[in-house]
């Protein structure tokens, strides 16, 4: 049985008293409300206004009381007087911090210069049965902030601003892509076969079809089938799911934008990426200069390009084109990096890059031309088929975007899938299986195409100066609490 604190018992009793007196404490609507920000922007003394909000402060002084009401747009002080409100005495005894009230009254400015509304009517909109965290101490426990995000939002305007910036980021991205001739589409989230990336999936079962399905790890193959179908330029913004660990840069479910443009290559897509990021920064921040861990960067200037091979040679003294698996394992041991369970050559290279090179790349840089064995869906370079026309934009030591010239040769793609299947058979459960439906689609012909993926969570974290993805995901994945029914 739930045990209530003294405050909770008092609030519940007040709710009961209100209901017993005939007050509808939880009405369905409240008409005529003006956002507080609008009232403040168009302020006129002596004007009648209607507003509503959460009670954030209460100060009773004899026959009068001052409250602070807050809505999604701002805060405003309201003034209650016994001589104007018949229910003043009972009202001031029943109001708690966190309650929602609707009021009407006249605007005026106090002797101290504070804009205030002199209340004429009060309407109960919601009775809060739990006390809010202390306004002074706020939510000190980080996990509590993430687990009960609604409290975090109530107590911190800075947190609200982060998520407004996230919304603006997605809006600006859509605006840019729509303006560049892309068509927004939706593709399945339940996949019959894993594809589009190297990752572990979440598995579910469809009872009516008697079939196991996978939550998508990437929409890539479906989007490229739309290119085959002649749509030309497409994009999708949506959730991906990967059954992997959780850290400052990873959450099992995350939001991605993927776009594809026919008759273009990865150089064209890198230029589009630069323009898009500058556009987003300008819309969200009002400037194209964004903060980094160390200093700032202006996104209007062309970003440098460094080859994957060059970085390995400069940082680790390894030639990834000729180095053996033994040399990669030795380099990992020297760097005190745990060897993957299935130490395939692509995984060894990837782990070395992520551990020893990527964290050092703070200023934005395109890392280009990855080993062919690492990117099975990208087109090989004409001058060296051991590498593919691929790029990653790295910033603040993490990947923000990834793109490449798409492989459109169905014979080459089958050979790459076969190589991936061999890796799966040696224990690499993140390698991609053979997707016959996608291969069949390619055999109908796909024009030269480039693609791009941008992590919305990571981009938002960079634009807003947040340290972890949990700070920009409203409800990040957390370990369930004991007896957690949510």
């Amino acid at each position: 049985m739930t045990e209530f604190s003294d405050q909770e018992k008092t609030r519940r009793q007040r709710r009961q008293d209100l209901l017993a007196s005939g007050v509808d404490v939880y009405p369905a609507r409240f008409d005529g409300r003006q956002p507080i920000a609008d009232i403040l922007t168009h302020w006129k003394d002596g004007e009648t206004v209607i507003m509503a909000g959460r009670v954030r402060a209460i100060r009773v002084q004899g026959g009068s009381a001052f409250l602070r009401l807050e809505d999604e747009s701002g805060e405003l002080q309201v003034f209650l007087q016994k001589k104007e409100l018949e229910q003043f005495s009972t009202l001031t005894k029943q109001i708690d911090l966190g309650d929602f009230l609707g009021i009407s009254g006249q605007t005026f400015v106090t002797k101290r210069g504070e804009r205030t509304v002199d209340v004429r009517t009060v309407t109960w909109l919601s009775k809060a049965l739990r006390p809010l965290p202390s306004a002074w101490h706020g939510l000190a426990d980080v996990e509590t902030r993430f687990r009960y995000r609604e409290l975090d939002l109530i107590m911190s305007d800075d947190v609200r601003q982060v998520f407004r910036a996230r919304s603006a980021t997605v809006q600006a991205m859509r605006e840019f892509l729509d303006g560049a001739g892309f068509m927004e589409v939706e593709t399945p989230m339940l996949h019959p076969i894993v594809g589009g990336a190297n990752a572990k999936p979440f598995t579910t079962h469809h009872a009516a079809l008697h079939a196991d399905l996978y939550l998508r790890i990437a929409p890539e193959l479906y989007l490229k089938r739309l290119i085959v179908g002649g749509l030309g330029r497409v994009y999708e913004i949506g959730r991906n799911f990967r059954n992997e660990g959780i850290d400052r840069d990873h959450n099992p479910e995350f939001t991605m934008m993927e776009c594809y443009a026919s008759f273009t290559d990865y150089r064209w897509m890198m230029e589009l990426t630069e323009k898009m990021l500058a556009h987003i920064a300008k819309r969200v921040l009002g400037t194209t200069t964004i903060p980094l861990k160390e200093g700032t960067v202006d996104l209007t200037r062309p970003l440098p390009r460094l080859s994957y091979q060059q970085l390995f040679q400069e940082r680790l003294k390894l030639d990834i084109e000729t180095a053996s698996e033994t040399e990669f394992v030795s380099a990992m041991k020297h760097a005190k990096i745990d060897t993957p369970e299935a130490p395939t050559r692509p995984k060894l290279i990837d782990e070395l890059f992520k551990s020893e090179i990527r964290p050092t790349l703070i200023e934005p840089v395109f890392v280009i031309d990855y080993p062919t064995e690492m990117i099975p869906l990208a087109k090989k370079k004409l001058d060296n088929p051991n590498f593919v026309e691929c790029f990653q934009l790295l910033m603040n030591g993490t990947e923000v975007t990834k793109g490449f010239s798409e492989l459109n040769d169905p014979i080459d793609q089958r050979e790459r899938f076969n190589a991936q299947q061999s890796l799966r058979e040696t224990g690499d459960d993140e390698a991609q299986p053979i997707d016959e439906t996608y291969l069949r689609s390619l055999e109908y012909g796909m024009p030269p195409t480039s693609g791009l993926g941008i992590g919305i969570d990571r981009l938002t974290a960079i634009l807003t100066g947040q340290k972890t993805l949990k700070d920009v995901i409203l409800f990040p994945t957390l370990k369930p609490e004991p007896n957690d029914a949510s």
Side-chain angles (χ1 to χ4, degrees):
M1 183 175 176
T2 303
E3 292 189 11
F4 298 117
S5 67
D6 289 342
Q7 275 203 61
E8 289 171 323
K9 290 176 183 176
T10 299
R11 286 168 178 255
R12 280 164 169 76
Q13 185 59 54
R14 288 172 177 169
R15 170 191 177 274
Q16 190 60 38
D17 292 344
L18 286 164
L19 291 172
S21 66
V23 176
D24 183 1
V25 189
Y26 302 100
R29 59 191 291 171
F30 182 69
D31 292 327
R33 177 184 79 98
Q34 300 161 261
I36 289 174
D38 287 358
I39 294 172
L40 293 171
T41 300
H42 305 290
W43 185 269
K44 290 181 181 178
D45 286 354
E47 187 172 58
T48 298
V49 297
I50 301 173
M51 57 180 278
R54 185 188 293 275
V55 178
R56 295 308 305 270
I58 305 171
R59 181 162 49 94
V60 180
Q61 298 173 323
S64 64
F66 288 94
L67 309 182
R68 291 200 72 80
L69 295 189
E70 179 184 57
D71 69 6
E72 72 280 4
S73 68
E75 282 190 7
L76 184 57
Q77 179 172 271
V78 301
F79 179 52
L80 283 64
Q81 299 181 80
K82 188 173 183 178
K83 65 179 183 180
E84 297 289 349
L85 294 168
E86 182 178 341
Q87 74 271 43
F88 176 86
S89 296
T90 55
L91 187 65
T92 53
K93 291 176 182 177
Q94 293 165 330
I95 294 174
D96 289 298
L97 294 177
D99 292 346
F100 276 89
L101 300 177
I103 67 99
S104 66
Q106 288 193 325
T107 56
F108 75 102
V109 178
T110 67
K111 292 179 180 179
R112 294 185 176 182
E114 177 144 13
R115 288 183 286 189
T116 306
V117 177
D118 187 1
V119 177
R120 294 294 183 268
T121 65
V122 177
T123 304
W124 282 95
L125 301 179
S126 182
K127 182 67 184 170
L129 302 184
R130 288 180 181 268
L132 297 175
S134 165
W136 179 259
H137 297 290
L139 287 175
D141 183 72
V142 173
E143 183 158 322
T144 300
R145 288 182 50 224
F146 300 146
R147 193 176 297 280
Y148 302 102
R149 180 68 85 181
E150 60 274 23
L151 293 181
D152 195 26
L153 292 164
I154 290 170
M155 301 308 296
S156 174
D157 185 59
D158 288 343
V159 173
R160 294 195 291 271
Q161 292 302 327
V162 166
F163 288 102
R164 289 189 180 107
R166 180 188 173 109
S167 178
T169 296
V170 175
Q171 183 179 3
M173 186 176 287
R174 279 196 168 99
E175 178 183 64
F176 178 88
L177 289 167
D178 291 345
F182 286 80
M183 171 183 173
E184 185 170 10
V185 297
E186 294 175 296
T187 62
M189 286 195 178
L190 290 175
H191 290 190
I193 187 170
V194 178
N198 290 51
K200 295 179 183 178
F202 287 96
T203 306
T204 188
H205 185 79
H206 194 295
L209 296 178
H210 305 290
D212 288 335
L213 297 171
Y214 306 94
L215 295 183
R216 76 176 179 198
I217 60 175
E220 177 169 342
L221 302 188
Y222 281 99
L223 291 171
K224 288 194 285 193
R225 286 169 63 183
L226 298 180
I227 296 294
V228 171
L231 291 188
R233 294 185 180 185
V234 296
Y235 77 94
E236 181 171 11
I237 298 174
R239 292 287 206 181
N240 291 346
F241 306 85
R242 298 183 184 179
N243 200 348
E244 300 170 342
I246 302 172
D247 58 33
R248 63 184 295 276
D249 289 326
H250 296 87
N251 194 68
E253 56 175 313
F254 57 96
T255 306
M256 285 285 294
M257 185 287 296
E258 286 200 20
C259 66
Y260 294 85
S262 57
F263 307 107
T264 67
D265 67 359
Y266 77 139
R267 294 177 184 83
W268 183 92
M269 190 57 79
M270 278 188 273
E271 293 176 1
L272 182 89
T273 302
E274 290 173 323
K275 295 173 184 175
M276 187 190 317
L277 293 181
H279 174 85
I280 293 170
K282 184 68 174 177
R283 284 284 189 269
V284 176
L285 304 178
T287 176
T288 56
T289 300
I290 65 170
L292 299 175
K293 286 180 180 178
E294 301 170 7
T296 60
V297 65
D298 183 357
L299 292 177
T300 58
R301 66 176 177 82
L303 301 179
R305 277 80 162 149
L306 294 175
S307 78
Y308 200 84
Q309 185 177 28
Q310 176 187 349
L311 285 167
F312 264 82
Q313 289 173 334
E314 291 178 354
R315 308 293 176 88
L316 300 179
K317 310 303 180 187
L318 282 172
D319 185 343
I320 54 174
E321 190 169 11
T322 60
S324 65
E325 288 188 14
T326 302
E327 289 177 278
F328 288 124
V329 171
S330 176
M332 292 187 72
K333 289 181 178 177
H334 179 74
K336 298 181 180 179
I337 304 169
D338 292 336
T339 304
E341 291 183 9
T344 60
R345 181 181 170 87
K347 274 202 165 185
L348 293 170
I349 296 173
D350 191 44
E351 287 297 324
L352 276 170
F353 180 79
K354 289 177 178 177
S355 298
E356 298 301 299
I357 298 175
R358 189 171 72 183
T360 67
L361 301 173
I362 305 301
E363 292 237 350
V365 59
F366 284 117
V367 177
I368 64 172
D369 302 342
Y370 282 56
T372 300
E373 57 203 317
M374 293 182 65
I375 315 289
L377 296 168
K379 186 183 291 290
K380 295 175 183 175
K381 289 177 65 64
L382 283 176
D383 58 353
N384 188 344
N386 291 325
F387 295 91
V388 290
E389 294 188 351
C390 171
F391 69 87
Q392 280 190 328
L393 174 60
L394 300 177
M395 197 183 311
N396 272 355
T398 192
E399 174 192 340
V400 181
T401 76
K402 188 174 188 176
F404 36 84
S405 301
E406 304 296 333
L407 176 55
N408 60 343
D409 178 346
I411 303 301
D412 189 357
Q413 184 65 82
R414 181 175 292 278
E415 291 172 355
R416 304 272 202 95
F417 276 156
N418 286 337
Q420 286 286 297
Q421 185 62 37
S422 296
L423 292 176
R424 289 180 69 86
E425 292 168 359
T426 62
D428 185 352
D429 55 1
E430 294 185 356
Q432 299 184 42
I434 299 171
D435 188 331
E436 292 292 349
T437 302
Y438 177 65
L439 288 170
R440 177 188 175 92
S441 178
L442 281 187
E443 288 172 357
Y444 288 111
M446 183 173 84
T449 299
S450 65
L452 170 70
I454 297 181
I456 303 296
D457 310 319
R458 291 181 183 174
L459 178 58
T460 303
I462 289 171
L463 292 175
T464 59
Q466 302 304 303
K467 295 180 179 179
T468 75
L469 293 193
K470 288 185 175 71
D471 290 308
V472 298
I473 297 173
L474 280 167
F475 296 100
T477 303
L478 301 170
K479 183 178 180 180
E481 290 185 311
N483 303 317
D484 189 354
S486 62

